[in-house]
Amino acid sequence: MSPKAANKTPISEAMGVVIHCARPEQQVKDLVGLFLEEGIGAAPVMDEDGKAVGLVSKTDVVRSLRKIESNNESTGHEVQPWWDSERLAQLTVEQIMTPCLYSFSPETTIADATAAMAFEGIHHLPVVDGAGTLVGVISTLDILNWNARNEGYRPA
């Protein structure tokens, strides 16, 4: 069997379909628990109508906590470690998420998704159907796994 071409293969063949979502009002400390328990690096943020309104990643968490630490240093407050659970309890997902700027259909090719991720410097993209319903998330790791399997590599 010859390898499939990335410019002809839809992302639906590589994307993750088990979707762990976050809510805008969710505390970041609970989000961190979700990331650790499920072994994921990002989650779509869904509003009360079930529409994707953003994406939140581990990088967003770290970036936002670093900002808090910097703010405390400049105001003369006692600086605590950035992973302090009280700080996590003060933040909500909505405060740190990236609004949905990009999403792709399941028919988008792996090549197109890869190019968008590379040029925009992003690691996760929501995948939505024609009605705008979230059907999956494609990550750089999903694409790497697809490529490895496509080239004949199999996990031990």
Side-chain angles (χ1 to χ4, degrees), residues 46-141:
M46 308 297 283
D47 68 11
E48 59 277 351
D49 297 324
K51 296 294 180 193
V53 295
L55 193 75
V56 64
S57 69
K58 290 188 273 191
T59 301
D60 294 324
V61 173
V62 172
R63 185 179 295 122
S64 67
L65 292 174
R66 180 66 183 148
K67 285 181 186 175
I68 291 173
E69 181 179 1
S70 297
N71 288 343
N72 282 347
E73 289 171 1
S74 65
T75 60
H77 290 98
E78 180 182 334
V79 177
Q80 298 177 16
W82 62 265
W83 59 85
D84 186 334
S85 62
E86 283 186 39
R87 291 183 193 206
L88 292 176
Q90 294 170 6
L91 292 171
T92 64
V93 168
E94 185 173 36
Q95 292 173 297
I96 69 167
M97 72 180 194
T98 301
C100 272
L101 301 174
Y102 302 98
S103 64
F104 287 97
S105 75
E107 296 80 28
T108 302
T109 66
I110 290 175
D112 287 342
T114 302
M117 294 166 117
F119 291 132
E120 297 299 330
I122 51 182
H123 296 276
H124 300 85
L125 291 171
V127 180
V128 297
D129 65 14
T133 303
L134 185 72
V135 295
V137 173
I138 186 83
S139 72
T140 50
L141 189 55

Coordinates of all heavy atoms in Angstrom, one line a residue, residues 46-141:
M46 N -16.6 26.1 24.9 CA -18.0 26.1 24.3 C -18.9 27.0 25.2 O -18.9 27.0 26.4 CB -18.5 24.7 24.4 CG -17.6 23.7 23.7 SD -17.3 24.0 22.0 CE -18.8 23.4 21.3
D47 N -19.8 27.8 24.5 CA -20.7 28.6 25.2 C -22.0 27.8 25.6 O -22.0 26.6 25.3 CB -21.1 29.8 24.4 CG -21.9 29.5 23.1 OD1 -22.4 28.4 22.9 OD2 -22.1 30.5 22.3
E48 N -22.9 28.4 26.2 CA -24.1 27.7 26.7 C -25.0 27.1 25.5 O -25.8 26.2 25.7 CB -25.0 28.6 27.6 CG -25.5 29.8 26.9 CD -24.5 31.0 26.9 OE1 -23.5 30.9 27.6 OE2 -24.8 32.0 26.2
D49 N -24.8 27.6 24.3 CA -25.5 27.1 23.1 C -24.7 26.0 22.4 O -25.2 25.5 21.4 CB -25.8 28.2 22.1 CG -26.7 29.3 22.7 OD1 -27.6 28.9 23.5 OD2 -26.5 30.5 22.4
G50 N -23.6 25.6 23.0 CA -22.8 24.5 22.4 C -21.9 25.0 21.2 O -21.5 24.1 20.4
K51 N -21.7 26.3 21.0 CA -20.9 26.8 19.9 C -19.5 27.1 20.5 O -19.3 27.5 21.6 CB -21.5 28.0 19.3 CG -22.8 27.8 18.7 CD -22.7 26.9 17.5 CE -24.0 26.7 16.8 NZ -24.0 25.7 15.8
A52 N -18.5 26.8 19.7 CA -17.1 27.1 20.0 C -16.9 28.6 20.0 O -17.1 29.2 19.0 CB -16.1 26.4 19.1
V53 N -16.4 29.1 21.1 CA -16.1 30.5 21.2 C -14.6 30.8 21.4 O -14.2 32.0 21.4 CB -16.9 31.2 22.4 CG1 -18.4 31.1 22.1 CG2 -16.6 30.6 23.7
G54 N -13.8 29.8 21.6 CA -12.4 29.9 21.8 C -11.7 28.6 22.0 O -12.3 27.5 21.9
L55 N -10.4 28.7 22.2 CA -9.6 27.6 22.4 C -8.6 27.9 23.5 O -8.1 29.1 23.5 CB -8.8 27.2 21.1 CG -8.1 25.8 21.1 CD1 -9.1 24.7 20.9 CD2 -7.1 25.8 20.1
V56 N -8.4 27.1 24.5 CA -7.5 27.3 25.6 C -6.5 26.2 25.7 O -6.9 25.0 25.5 CB -8.3 27.5 26.9 CG1 -9.0 26.2 27.3 CG2 -7.5 28.0 28.0
S57 N -5.3 26.6 25.9 CA -4.2 25.6 25.9 C -3.3 25.8 27.1 O -3.5 26.7 27.9 CB -3.3 25.8 24.7 OG -2.6 27.1 24.8
K58 N -2.4 24.8 27.3 CA -1.5 24.8 28.4 C -0.6 26.1 28.3 O -0.3 26.7 29.3 CB -0.6 23.6 28.5 CG -1.4 22.3 28.9 CD -0.5 21.2 29.1 CE -0.2 20.4 27.9 NZ 0.5 19.1 28.1
T59 N -0.3 26.5 27.1 CA 0.5 27.7 26.9 C -0.3 28.9 27.4 O 0.3 29.8 28.0 CB 0.9 27.8 25.5 OG1 1.6 26.7 25.1 CG2 1.7 29.1 25.2
D60 N -1.6 29.0 27.2 CA -2.4 30.1 27.7 C -2.3 30.2 29.2 O -2.3 31.2 29.8 CB -3.8 30.0 27.2 CG -4.0 30.1 25.7 OD1 -3.3 30.9 25.1 OD2 -4.9 29.4 25.2
V61 N -2.4 29.0 29.8 CA -2.4 28.9 31.3 C -1.0 29.5 31.8 O -1.0 30.4 32.6 CB -2.6 27.5 31.8 CG1 -2.4 27.4 33.3 CG2 -4.0 27.0 31.5
V62 N 0.0 29.0 31.3 CA 1.4 29.4 31.7 C 1.6 30.9 31.4 O 2.0 31.7 32.3 CB 2.5 28.6 31.1 CG1 3.8 29.1 31.4 CG2 2.4 27.1 31.5
R63 N 1.2 31.3 30.3 CA 1.3 32.7 29.9 C 0.6 33.7 30.8 O 1.1 34.7 31.3 CB 0.9 33.0 28.4 CG 1.1 34.4 27.9 CD 0.7 34.5 26.5 NE 1.5 33.7 25.6 CZ 1.0 32.8 24.8 NH1 -0.3 32.5 24.7 NH2 1.8 32.0 24.0
S64 N -0.7 33.3 31.1 CA -1.5 34.2 32.0 C -0.9 34.2 33.4 O -1.0 35.2 34.1 CB -2.9 33.7 32.0 OG -3.0 32.4 32.6
L65 N -0.5 33.1 33.9 CA 0.1 33.1 35.3 C 1.4 33.8 35.3 O 1.7 34.5 36.3 CB 0.3 31.6 35.7 CG -1.0 30.9 35.9 CD1 -0.8 29.4 36.3 CD2 -1.9 31.5 37.0
R66 N 2.2 33.8 34.3 CA 3.4 34.6 34.3 C 3.1 36.1 34.3 O 3.7 36.9 35.0 CB 4.2 34.2 33.0 CG 5.5 35.0 32.9 CD 6.4 34.6 34.0 NE 7.6 35.4 33.9 CZ 8.4 35.8 34.9 NH1 8.1 35.5 36.1 NH2 9.4 36.6 34.7
K67 N 2.0 36.5 33.6 CA 1.6 37.9 33.7 C 1.2 38.3 35.1 O 1.5 39.4 35.5 CB 0.4 38.1 32.7 CG 0.8 38.2 31.3 CD -0.5 38.4 30.4 CE -0.2 38.3 29.0 NZ -1.4 38.4 28.1
I68 N 0.5 37.4 35.8 CA 0.1 37.8 37.2 C 1.4 37.9 38.0 O 1.5 38.9 38.8 CB -0.8 36.7 37.7 CG1 -2.2 36.7 37.0 CG2 -1.0 36.9 39.2 CD1 -3.1 35.6 37.4
E69 N 2.3 37.1 37.8 CA 3.6 37.2 38.6 C 4.3 38.5 38.3 O 4.7 39.2 39.2 CB 4.5 36.0 38.3 CG 5.8 36.0 39.1 CD 6.7 34.8 38.8 OE1 6.3 34.0 38.0 OE2 7.7 34.8 39.4
S70 N 4.3 38.9 37.1 CA 5.0 40.1 36.7 C 4.3 41.3 37.3 O 4.9 42.3 37.7 CB 5.1 40.2 35.2 OG 5.9 39.2 34.6
N71 N 2.9 41.3 37.3 CA 2.1 42.3 37.8 C 2.4 42.5 39.3 O 2.5 43.6 39.8 CB 0.6 42.1 37.6 CG 0.3 42.4 36.1 OD1 1.0 43.0 35.4 ND2 -0.9 41.9 35.7
N72 N 2.5 41.4 40.0 CA 2.7 41.4 41.5 C 4.1 42.0 41.8 O 4.3 42.7 42.7 CB 2.6 40.0 42.1 CG 1.1 39.7 42.3 OD1 0.2 40.5 42.2 ND2 0.9 38.4 42.6
E73 N 5.1 41.7 40.9 CA 6.4 42.2 41.1 C 6.4 43.7 41.0 O 7.1 44.4 41.7 CB 7.4 41.6 40.1 CG 7.7 40.1 40.4 CD 8.5 39.4 39.3 OE1 8.9 40.1 38.3 OE2 8.8 38.3 39.4
S74 N 5.7 44.2 40.0 CA 5.7 45.7 39.7 C 4.9 46.5 40.7 O 5.1 47.6 40.9 CB 5.2 45.9 38.3 OG 3.9 45.6 38.2
T75 N 4.0 45.8 41.4 CA 3.2 46.5 42.4 C 3.7 46.4 43.8 O 3.2 47.0 44.7 CB 1.7 46.0 42.4 OG1 1.8 44.6 42.8 CG2 1.0 46.2 41.1
G76 N 4.8 45.7 44.0 CA 5.4 45.6 45.3 C 4.8 44.5 46.2 O 5.2 44.4 47.3
H77 N 3.8 43.8 45.6 CA 3.2 42.7 46.4 C 4.2 41.6 46.5 O 5.1 41.4 45.7 CB 1.9 42.2 45.8 CG 0.8 43.2 45.9 ND1 0.5 44.0 44.8 CD2 -0.1 43.5 46.9 CE1 -0.5 44.8 45.1 NE2 -0.9 44.5 46.4
E78 N 4.0 40.8 47.6 CA 4.8 39.6 47.7 C 4.7 38.7 46.6 O 3.5 38.4 46.1 CB 4.4 38.9 49.0 CG 5.3 37.6 49.3 CD 4.8 36.9 50.6 OE1 4.2 37.5 51.4 OE2 5.0 35.7 50.6
V79 N 5.8 38.2 46.0 CA 5.7 37.4 44.8 C 5.7 35.9 45.3 O 6.5 35.5 46.1 CB 7.0 37.6 43.9 CG1 6.9 36.6 42.8 CG2 7.0 39.0 43.4
Q80 N 4.6 35.2 44.8 CA 4.5 33.8 45.1 C 4.8 33.0 43.9 O 4.8 33.5 42.8 CB 3.0 33.5 45.6 CG 2.7 34.3 46.9 CD 1.2 34.1 47.2 OE1 0.6 33.1 46.8 NE2 0.7 34.9 48.1
P81 N 5.0 31.7 44.0 CA 5.3 30.9 42.8 C 4.1 31.0 41.9 O 2.9 31.1 42.3 CB 5.4 29.5 43.4 CG 5.7 29.7 44.8 CD 5.1 31.0 45.3
W82 N 4.4 31.0 40.6 CA 3.3 31.2 39.6 C 2.3 30.1 39.6 O 1.2 30.2 39.1 CB 3.9 31.4 38.2 CG 4.7 30.3 37.7 CD1 6.0 30.2 37.7 CD2 4.2 29.2 37.0 NE1 6.4 29.0 37.1 CE2 5.3 28.4 36.6 CE3 2.9 28.7 36.6 CZ2 5.2 27.2 35.9 CZ3 2.8 27.6 35.9 CH2 3.9 26.8 35.6
W83 N 2.6 29.0 40.2 CA 1.6 27.8 40.2 C 0.7 27.8 41.4 O 0.0 26.9 41.6 CB 2.4 26.5 40.1 CG 3.3 26.3 41.2 CD1 3.1 25.8 42.4 CD2 4.7 26.7 41.3 NE1 4.2 25.8 43.3 CE2 5.2 26.3 42.6 CE3 5.6 27.3 40.4 CZ2 6.5 26.6 42.9 CZ3 6.9 27.5 40.8 CH2 7.3 27.1 42.0
D84 N 0.8 28.9 42.2 CA -0.1 29.0 43.4 C -1.5 28.7 43.1 O -2.1 29.3 42.2 CB 0.1 30.4 44.0 CG -0.6 30.6 45.3 OD1 -1.6 29.9 45.6 OD2 -0.2 31.5 46.1
S85 N -2.1 27.8 43.8 CA -3.5 27.4 43.5 C -4.5 28.6 43.7 O -5.5 28.6 43.1 CB -3.9 26.2 44.4 OG -3.9 26.5 45.7
E86 N -4.2 29.5 44.6 CA -5.1 30.7 44.7 C -5.1 31.5 43.5 O -6.2 32.0 43.1 CB -4.6 31.5 45.9 CG -5.0 31.0 47.3 CD -4.6 31.9 48.4 OE1 -4.8 33.1 48.2 OE2 -4.1 31.5 49.4
R87 N -4.0 31.6 42.8 CA -4.0 32.3 41.5 C -4.9 31.6 40.5 O -5.6 32.2 39.7 CB -2.6 32.5 41.0 CG -1.8 33.4 41.8 CD -0.4 33.6 41.2 NE 0.4 34.2 42.2 CZ 1.4 34.9 41.9 NH1 1.7 35.1 40.7 NH2 2.1 35.5 42.8
L88 N -4.8 30.3 40.5 CA -5.6 29.5 39.5 C -7.0 29.7 39.8 O -7.9 29.7 38.9 CB -5.2 28.0 39.6 CG -3.8 27.7 39.1 CD1 -3.5 26.2 39.3 CD2 -3.6 28.0 37.6
A89 N -7.4 29.8 41.0 CA -8.8 30.0 41.4 C -9.3 31.3 41.0 O -10.5 31.5 40.9 CB -9.0 29.7 42.9
Q90 N -8.5 32.3 40.9 CA -8.9 33.7 40.5 C -9.1 33.8 39.0 O -9.8 34.8 38.6 CB -7.8 34.7 40.9 CG -7.6 34.8 42.4 CD -6.4 35.6 42.8 OE1 -5.7 36.2 41.9 NE2 -6.0 35.6 44.0
L91 N -8.6 33.0 38.2 CA -8.8 33.1 36.8 C -9.8 32.2 36.2 O -10.0 31.1 36.7 CB -7.4 32.7 36.1 CG -6.3 33.7 36.3 CD1 -5.0 33.0 35.7 CD2 -6.5 35.0 35.7
T92 N -10.5 32.7 35.2 CA -11.5 31.9 34.5 C -10.9 31.6 33.1 O -10.1 32.3 32.6 CB -12.9 32.6 34.3 OG1 -12.7 33.7 33.5 CG2 -13.5 32.9 35.7
V93 N -11.5 30.6 32.5 CA -11.1 30.2 31.1 C -11.3 31.4 30.1 O -10.4 31.7 29.3 CB -11.8 28.9 30.6 CG1 -11.6 28.7 29.2 CG2 -11.4 27.7 31.5
E94 N -12.4 32.1 30.3 CA -12.6 33.2 29.4 C -11.6 34.3 29.4 O -11.3 34.9 28.4 CB -14.0 33.8 29.8 CG -14.5 34.9 28.8 CD -15.9 35.3 29.1 OE1 -16.3 35.4 30.3 OE2 -16.6 35.6 28.1
Q95 N -10.9 34.4 30.6 CA -9.9 35.5 30.7 C -8.6 35.1 30.0 O -7.8 36.0 29.7 CB -9.6 35.7 32.2 CG -10.8 36.3 33.0 CD -10.5 36.4 34.5 OE1 -10.3 35.3 35.1 NE2 -10.4 37.6 35.0
I96 N -8.4 33.8 29.8 CA -7.1 33.4 29.2 C -7.2 32.8 27.8 O -6.2 32.6 27.2 CB -6.3 32.5 30.2 CG1 -7.0 31.1 30.3 CG2 -6.1 33.1 31.5 CD1 -6.2 30.1 30.9
M97 N -8.4 32.4 27.4 CA -8.6 31.7 26.1 C -8.2 32.6 24.9 O -8.2 33.8 25.0 CB -10.0 31.2 26.0 CG -11.0 32.3 25.7 SD -12.7 31.6 25.6 CE -13.5 33.0 24.8
T98 N -8.0 31.9 23.8 CA -7.8 32.6 22.6 C -9.2 32.5 21.9 O -9.7 31.4 21.7 CB -6.7 31.9 21.7 OG1 -5.5 32.0 22.4 CG2 -6.6 32.6 20.4
P99 N -9.8 33.6 21.5 CA -11.1 33.5 20.8 C -10.9 32.7 19.5 O -9.8 32.7 18.9 CB -11.4 35.0 20.4 CG -10.6 35.8 21.4 CD -9.3 35.0 21.7
C100 N -12.0 32.1 19.1 CA -11.9 31.3 17.8 C -11.7 32.2 16.6 O -12.5 32.9 16.2 CB -13.2 30.5 17.6 SG -13.2 28.9 18.4
L101 N -10.5 32.1 16.1 CA -10.1 32.8 14.9 C -10.1 31.9 13.7 O -10.3 32.4 12.6 CB -8.8 33.5 15.1 CG -8.7 34.5 16.3 CD1 -7.2 35.0 16.4 CD2 -9.6 35.7 16.1
Y102 N -9.8 30.7 14.0 CA -9.6 29.7 12.9 C -10.4 28.4 13.2 O -10.4 28.0 14.4 CB -8.1 29.3 12.7 CG -7.2 30.4 12.4 CD1 -6.5 31.0 13.4 CD2 -7.1 30.9 11.1 CE1 -5.6 32.0 13.2 CE2 -6.2 31.9 10.9 CZ -5.5 32.5 11.9 OH -4.7 33.5 11.6
S103 N -11.0 27.9 12.2 CA -11.6 26.5 12.4 C -11.6 26.0 10.9 O -11.6 26.7 10.0 CB -13.0 26.6 13.0 OG -13.9 27.2 12.1
F104 N -11.6 24.7 10.9 CA -11.6 24.0 9.6 C -12.7 23.0 9.5 O -13.1 22.5 10.5 CB -10.2 23.3 9.3 CG -9.1 24.3 9.1 CD1 -8.3 24.8 10.1 CD2 -8.9 24.9 7.8 CE1 -7.3 25.7 9.8 CE2 -7.9 25.8 7.5 CZ -7.1 26.2 8.6
S105 N -13.1 22.7 8.3 CA -14.0 21.6 8.1 C -13.3 20.3 8.1 O -12.1 20.2 7.8 CB -14.8 21.8 6.7 OG -13.9 21.5 5.7
P106 N -14.0 19.2 8.3 CA -13.4 17.9 8.3 C -12.8 17.5 6.9 O -11.9 16.7 6.8 CB -14.6 16.9 8.6 CG -15.6 17.7 9.3 CD -15.4 19.1 8.7
E107 N -13.2 18.2 5.9 CA -12.7 17.9 4.5 C -11.4 18.6 4.2 O -10.8 18.4 3.2 CB -13.8 18.2 3.5 CG -15.0 17.4 3.5 CD -16.0 17.9 4.6 OE1 -16.0 19.1 5.0 OE2 -16.7 17.0 5.2
T108 N -11.0 19.6 5.0 CA -9.8 20.3 4.8 C -8.6 19.3 4.8 O -8.6 18.3 5.5 CB -9.5 21.3 6.0 OG1 -10.6 22.2 6.1 CG2 -8.2 22.1 5.8
T109 N -7.7 19.5 3.9 CA -6.6 18.5 3.7 C -5.6 18.7 4.9 O -5.5 19.8 5.5 CB -5.9 18.7 2.4 OG1 -5.2 19.9 2.4 CG2 -6.8 18.5 1.2
I110 N -4.9 17.6 5.2 CA -3.9 17.7 6.2 C -2.8 18.7 5.8 O -2.3 19.4 6.6 CB -3.3 16.2 6.4 CG1 -4.3 15.4 7.1 CG2 -2.0 16.3 7.2 CD1 -3.9 13.9 7.2
A111 N -2.5 18.8 4.5 CA -1.5 19.7 4.0 C -1.9 21.2 4.3 O -1.1 22.0 4.8 CB -1.3 19.6 2.5
D112 N -3.2 21.5 4.1 CA -3.7 22.8 4.3 C -3.7 23.2 5.8 O -3.3 24.3 6.3 CB -5.1 23.0 3.8 CG -5.1 23.2 2.2 OD1 -4.0 23.4 1.7 OD2 -6.2 23.0 1.6
A113 N -4.1 22.2 6.6 CA -4.2 22.4 8.1 C -2.7 22.6 8.6 O -2.5 23.4 9.5 CB -4.8 21.2 8.8
T114 N -1.8 21.8 8.1 CA -0.4 21.9 8.5 C 0.2 23.2 8.2 O 0.8 23.8 9.0 CB 0.4 20.7 7.9 OG1 -0.1 19.5 8.3 CG2 1.9 20.8 8.3
A115 N -0.1 23.7 7.0 CA 0.4 25.0 6.6 C -0.2 26.1 7.5 O 0.6 27.0 7.9 CB 0.0 25.3 5.1
A116 N -1.4 26.1 7.7 CA -2.1 27.1 8.6 C -1.4 27.1 10.0 O -1.1 28.1 10.6 CB -3.6 26.9 8.7
M117 N -1.3 25.9 10.5 CA -0.7 25.8 11.9 C 0.8 26.3 11.9 O 1.2 27.0 12.8 CB -0.7 24.3 12.4 CG -2.1 23.8 12.6 SD -2.1 22.0 12.8 CE -2.7 21.9 14.4
A118 N 1.5 26.0 10.9 CA 2.9 26.4 10.8 C 3.0 27.9 10.6 O 3.8 28.6 11.4 CB 3.6 25.7 9.7
F119 N 2.2 28.5 9.7 CA 2.3 29.9 9.5 C 1.8 30.8 10.6 O 2.2 31.9 10.8 CB 1.6 30.3 8.2 CG 2.3 29.8 6.9 CD1 1.6 29.1 5.9 CD2 3.7 29.9 6.8 CE1 2.2 28.6 4.8 CE2 4.3 29.4 5.6 CZ 3.6 28.8 4.7
E120 N 0.8 30.2 11.3 CA 0.1 31.0 12.4 C 0.8 30.7 13.8 O 0.4 31.3 14.7 CB -1.4 30.7 12.4 CG -2.1 31.2 11.2 CD -2.0 32.7 10.9 OE1 -1.8 33.5 11.9 OE2 -2.0 33.1 9.8
G121 N 1.6 29.6 13.8 CA 2.2 29.3 15.1 C 1.3 28.7 16.1 O 1.4 29.0 17.3
I122 N 0.3 27.9 15.6 CA -0.7 27.3 16.5 C -0.6 25.8 16.5 O -0.2 25.2 15.5 CB -2.1 27.8 16.2 CG1 -2.4 27.6 14.7 CG2 -2.3 29.2 16.7 CD1 -3.8 28.1 14.3
H123 N -1.0 25.1 17.6 CA -0.8 23.7 17.7 C -2.1 22.9 17.7 O -2.1 21.7 17.6 CB 0.0 23.3 18.9 CG 1.4 23.9 18.9 ND1 2.4 23.2 18.3 CD2 1.9 25.0 19.4 CE1 3.5 23.9 18.5 NE2 3.2 25.0 19.1
H124 N -3.2 23.6 17.8 CA -4.6 23.0 17.8 C -5.5 23.8 17.0 O -5.6 25.0 17.1 CB -5.1 22.9 19.3 CG -4.2 22.1 20.2 ND1 -3.1 22.7 20.8 CD2 -4.2 20.8 20.5 CE1 -2.5 21.8 21.5 NE2 -3.1 20.6 21.4
L125 N -6.4 23.1 16.3 CA -7.4 23.8 15.5 C -8.8 23.1 15.7 O -8.8 21.8 15.6 CB -7.1 23.7 14.0 CG -5.9 24.5 13.5 CD1 -5.6 24.2 12.0 CD2 -6.2 26.0 13.6
P126 N -9.8 23.8 16.0 CA -11.1 23.2 16.0 C -11.6 22.8 14.6 O -11.3 23.4 13.6 CB -12.0 24.4 16.5 CG -11.2 25.5 16.9 CD -9.8 25.2 16.3
V127 N -12.3 21.7 14.6 CA -12.9 21.2 13.3 C -14.4 21.2 13.4 O -14.9 20.7 14.4 CB -12.4 19.8 13.0 CG1 -13.0 19.2 11.7 CG2 -10.8 19.7 13.0
V128 N -15.0 22.0 12.5 CA -16.5 22.1 12.6 C -17.2 21.7 11.3 O -16.6 21.8 10.2 CB -16.9 23.6 12.9 CG1 -16.4 24.1 14.3 CG2 -16.4 24.5 11.8
D129 N -18.4 21.2 11.5 CA -19.1 20.8 10.3 C -19.8 22.0 9.6 O -19.7 23.1 10.1 CB -20.1 19.6 10.6 CG -21.2 20.1 11.6 OD1 -21.4 21.3 11.8 OD2 -21.9 19.2 12.1
G130 N -20.6 21.7 8.6 CA -21.3 22.8 7.8 C -22.2 23.6 8.7 O -22.5 24.7 8.4
A131 N -22.7 23.0 9.8 CA -23.7 23.7 10.6 C -22.9 24.5 11.7 O -23.6 25.1 12.6 CB -24.7 22.7 11.3
G132 N -21.6 24.4 11.7 CA -20.8 25.1 12.8 C -20.7 24.3 14.0 O -20.2 24.9 15.1
T133 N -21.1 23.0 14.0 CA -21.0 22.2 15.2 C -19.5 21.6 15.3 O -19.0 21.1 14.3 CB -22.0 21.0 15.1 OG1 -23.3 21.6 15.0 CG2 -21.9 20.2 16.4
L134 N -19.0 21.7 16.5 CA -17.6 21.1 16.7 C -17.7 19.6 16.6 O -18.5 18.9 17.2 CB -17.2 21.5 18.1 CG -15.7 21.1 18.5 CD1 -14.7 22.0 17.7 CD2 -15.5 21.3 20.0
V135 N -16.8 19.1 15.7 CA -16.8 17.6 15.5 C -15.4 17.0 15.9 O -15.3 15.8 15.8 CB -17.2 17.2 14.0 CG1 -18.6 17.6 13.7 CG2 -16.2 17.9 13.0
G136 N -14.5 17.9 16.2 CA -13.2 17.4 16.5 C -12.2 18.5 16.7 O -12.5 19.6 16.6
V137 N -11.0 18.1 17.1 CA -9.8 19.0 17.2 C -8.7 18.3 16.5 O -8.4 17.1 16.7 CB -9.5 19.3 18.6 CG1 -8.2 20.1 18.8 CG2 -10.7 20.0 19.3
I138 N -7.9 19.1 15.7 CA -6.7 18.5 15.1 C -5.5 19.2 15.7 O -5.5 20.4 15.9 CB -6.7 18.7 13.5 CG1 -5.5 18.1 12.9 CG2 -6.8 20.2 13.1 CD1 -5.7 16.6 12.6
S139 N -4.6 18.4 16.1 CA -3.4 19.0 16.7 C -2.1 18.6 15.9 O -2.2 17.7 15.1 CB -3.2 18.4 18.2 OG -2.8 17.0 18.1
T140 N -1.0 19.3 16.2 CA 0.2 18.9 15.5 C 0.6 17.5 15.8 O 1.1 16.8 14.9 CB 1.3 19.9 15.9 OG1 1.4 20.0 17.4 CG2 1.1 21.3 15.4
L141 N 0.3 17.0 17.0 CA 0.7 15.6 17.4 C -0.2 14.7 16.6 O 0.3 13.6 16.1 CB 0.5 15.4 18.9 CG 1.0 14.1 19.4 CD1 2.5 13.8 19.0 CD2 0.8 14.0 20.9

